[in-house]
Amino acid sequence: MAKILIATEKPFAPAAVDGIKDIAQKANFEVVLLEKYDSKDQLLSAVADVDAMIIRSDKVTKEVIEAGKNLKIVVRAGAGYDNVDLESATANNVVVMNTPGQNSNAVAELAIGMMVFLARGGFNGKAGSELKGKTIGIHAYGNVGKYVAKIAKGFDMKVCAYDPFANKGAVEKDGVKFIDSAEELYRTCQYVSLHIPANDKTKKSIGYDLLKSMPKNGVLVNTARKEVIDEEGLVKAMEERNDLHYISDIAPDNKDVFAGKFDGRFFFTPKKMGAQTSEANINAGIAAVKQIINFINDGDTTFQVNK
Ligand code: 3PG
């Protein structure tokens, strides 16, 4: 009987785990659960005899891949797979997949929720501002970006998007203004919501020049990855302009600087919360187990990211 390890330092909702187990058992797969683990050794020993692995932001390093002597597939239940060493996976004949789109609405709702929270001064009792009529720029018009655009339109915001890989016609069909460059997006949109992946090209790519150019009361909303921000550049821009704000789903490495200097101009979730809803956990978890079964039984490599 093939064995699937669910290795989630940040656990799925119980209903998602039940759903995964149910589908696996019906297909004659065994499920092993490793939740809230706090040492690499626990992960290394759990992966030792499994055929497949479902993870979230859990770090699947060369060491983890090599410890999985029977490992054939890792599915990242979510979108970003920057936490998986793809090179080592490929070298060890391990297929890596993600589950695109399955948790996107949850992340988009959090992006908008953080914007409302900031606009209302963290519910401090003082007069805040509304999102209606403000301009939002979506940086990368993928699954999450599209949901953010849709919700923002419900707030009567003016929605723009920049994405070098998106089709202009398709963006405009959604009633979203297509912008040609990142520079123009940041220069013209009071809110910018980031949805770019973290990779060699994007890491530290959002910095001083883009942020300094934002309109009055600019707000950078980051539900993507902290690694895409040039933190020194961000701090410099916020020091020079006391109307700039940064809200992020997970704190930057230099969060103490923000606490000391930018009172009321930032908000960071204590733990990455974007995809942390029952619905997103169920969607992504069920998609992951189905992808594993289809791969092991039928060789289906749809959603493989290390081709
Ligand atoms: C993703 O890439 O899918 C999101 O960042 C969610 O990550 P999480 O599963 O660790 O919450």
Side-chain angles (χ1 to χ4, degrees), residues 60-66 68 71-74 81 84-97 295 303-307:
V60 177
T61 57
K62 184 170 189 266
E63 205 181 349
V64 174
I65 300 266
E66 287 175 355
L71 193 62
K72 295 160 192 70
I73 176 167
V74 175
Y81 44 86
V84 182
D85 183 338
L86 295 187
E87 230 173 85
S88 299
T90 307
N92 288 279
N93 288 321
V94 174
V95 165
V96 181
M97 296 183 184
F295 171 71
F303 303 121
Q304 183 174 355
V305 294
N306 63 333
K307 274 183 184 165

Side-chain angles (χ1 to χ4, degrees), residues 147-277:
Y147 275 116
V148 171
K150 196 171 157 191
I151 303 169
K153 280 169 68 185
F155 276 77
D156 257 342
M157 297 186 84
K158 292 172 198 148
V159 185
C160 304
Y162 164 67
D163 186 333
F165 305 105
N167 174 279
K168 183 176 180 184
V171 173
E172 287 175 343
K173 217 168 147 203
D174 290 345
V176 172
K177 187 174 173 198
F178 185 84
I179 303 280
D180 284 320
S181 67
E183 285 72 19
E184 191 186 338
L185 192 86
Y186 285 75
R187 189 165 29 82
T188 55
C189 296
Q190 182 187 343
Y191 288 86
V192 172
S193 190
L194 263 177
H195 304 291
I196 55 176
N199 56 39
D200 290 346
K201 285 204 177 100
T202 62
K203 281 182 186 165
K204 289 187 188 281
S205 65
I206 310 301
Y208 179 75
D209 291 338
L210 289 175
L211 300 164
K212 186 74 192 306
S213 76
M214 288 184 82
K216 193 168 166 20
N217 296 326
V219 181
L220 179 65
V221 188
N222 185 5
T223 52
R225 292 286 183 273
K226 68 180 166 124
E227 289 80 3
V228 301
I229 305 291
D230 167 9
E231 294 185 1
E232 273 176 35
L234 169 63
V235 167
K236 188 166 178 245
M238 287 181 71
E239 278 171 345
E240 289 179 18
R241 285 211 16 214
N242 65 10
D243 64 325
L244 290 181
H245 304 78
Y246 180 52
I247 48 182
S248 179
D249 184 19
I250 179 163
D253 292 335
N254 61 354
K255 66 174 190 300
D256 295 345
V257 176
F258 286 78
K261 292 187 172 177
F262 306 130
D263 188 35
R265 295 167 56 201
F266 69 93
F267 171 74
F268 307 136
T269 53
K271 187 123 189 150
K272 193 142 129 295
M273 288 298 296
Q276 198 57 328
T277 65

Side-chain angles (χ1 to χ4, degrees), residues 103-117:
N103 60 15
S104 307
N105 182 65
V107 179
E109 285 190 13
L110 187 85
I112 300 282
M114 291 198 302
M115 285 163 56
V116 172
F117 182 75

